[in-house]
Amino acid sequence: NAGVIQTPRHKVTGKGQEATLWCEPISGHSAVFWYRQTIVQGLEFLTYFRNQAPIDDSGMPKERFSAQMPNQSHSTLKIQSTQPQDSAVYLCASRWTGASQNTLYFGAGTRLSVL
Amino acid sequence: DAKTTQPDSMESTEGETVHLPCSHATISGNEYIYWYRQVPLQGPEYVTHGLQQNTTNSMAFLAIASDRKSSTLILTHVSLRDAAVYHCILRVAVRDSGGSNYKLTFGKGTLLTVTP
């Protein structure tokens, strides 16, 4: 089990460019979460999917950010027209559903740097 | 959102026992207490969790106060590998169309430094 896989590990974009971040959850996990981590704000919840359906996107910025889960083996977080304030580590996590106390497994994250 | 309060940092020496405190005065009766830790360049790693009774596993011992308003993560014989940011989190139950689900809301955590 390779754990949650996130690619790329580090992405550098110019201001105004688009960035797409990829996440491969652990096989069999049907819940996928996206978080953003910065020094100032700490770890912030962005959105999560359950059985590929978007359930809660209350943490997503209303503009420029979107997330999808086209199949059970991967999810993407897309940021259009990136801005310097989008620079952060974006973390993906997954877990089983159905039981009441399932552990969340995190990937190593993608560090996004917007110049 | 559920709130926890932790010290910003703590220091220890290899081989010691460390007590990491967490205050959660407004915890609800059905909220679980989770602990995760994070080292640089990695995502958070699950340590342990509990509801009311103390729990123990290979990584740590979790002591929960009888009124559940605070908890302490106890690490015995710490090593350099235990140096990390330790997050105390309350599991917030969120009910969705498919049944109960939840998300974890993280705070800043406690930076544990371990010296040789």
Side-chain angles (χ1 to χ4, degrees):
Chain A
N1 188 339
V4 176
I5 299 172
Q6 291 190 248
T7 55
R9 288 298 310 273
H10 191 190
K11 186 171 182 65
V12 181
T13 66
K15 182 180 176 180
Q17 292 183 329
E18 181 178 288
T20 299
L21 313 180
W22 292 72
C23 171
E24 180 180 330
I26 293 174
S27 178
H29 285 191
S30 53
V32 173
F33 296 72
W34 284 94
Y35 286 81
R36 176 171 63 182
Q37 186 171 33
T38 61
I39 298 292
V40 174
Q41 297 295 331
L43 253 161
E44 300 175 281
F45 166 81
L46 294 176
T47 186
Y48 86 80
F49 296 84
R50 187 172 183 266
N51 295 323
Q52 300 173 230
I55 300 298
D56 183 350
D57 65 354
S58 58
M60 291 277 276
K62 298 307 178 187
E63 298 179 350
R64 303 186 294 106
F65 281 67
S66 62
Q68 293 183 326
M69 192 164 183
N71 57 60
Q72 63 184 7
S73 64
H74 88 272
S75 175
T76 58
L77 179 67
K78 183 180 293 186
I79 308 172
Q80 295 177 315
S81 185
T82 55
Q83 303 297 310
Q85 61 264 31
D86 299 332
S87 296
V89 176
Y90 290 84
L91 290 158
C92 177
S94 71
R95 64 173 180 86
W96 286 284
T97 55
S100 62
Q101 304 170 38
N102 283 327
T103 299
L104 206 56
Y105 294 86
F106 284 84
T110 294
R111 179 175 296 277
L112 176 65
S113 300
V114 182
L115 305 179
Chain B
D1 289 343
K3 297 291 187 184
T4 61
T5 303
Q6 299 177 255
D8 290 338
S9 63
M10 293 185 67
E11 297 181 354
S12 66
T13 303
E14 273 193 302
E16 288 184 340
T17 294
V18 176
H19 292 71
L20 300 173
C22 181
S23 173
H24 27 81
T26 59
I27 189 171
S28 298
N30 62 351
E31 286 181 320
Y32 286 81
I33 302 157
Y34 276 73
W35 284 81
Y36 279 76
R37 70 180 185 183
Q38 186 175 19
V39 299
L41 304 180
Q42 294 295 324
E45 175 190 27
Y46 169 81
V47 176
T48 188
H49 75 277
L51 180 63
Q52 194 160 9
Q53 304 298 322
N54 296 339
T55 63
T56 187
N57 62 19
S58 60
M59 296 180 72
F61 178 83
L62 176 61
I64 301 173
S66 57
D67 63 5
R68 299 210 326 126
K69 294 184 177 182
S70 65
S71 61
T72 303
L73 186 72
I74 301 171
L75 308 176
T76 58
H77 307 294
V78 295
S79 69
L80 297 178
R81 290 174 296 179
D82 293 316
V85 175
Y86 285 80
H87 297 274
C88 170
I89 307 148
L90 300 185
R91 192 197 83 175
V92 179
V94 177
R95 189 166 292 276
D96 59 68
S97 59
S100 296
N101 216 319
Y102 72 92
K103 58 185 178 184
L104 298 176
T105 301
F106 286 77
K108 297 288 179 65
T110 296
L111 173 62
L112 176 65
T113 303
V114 181
T115 55

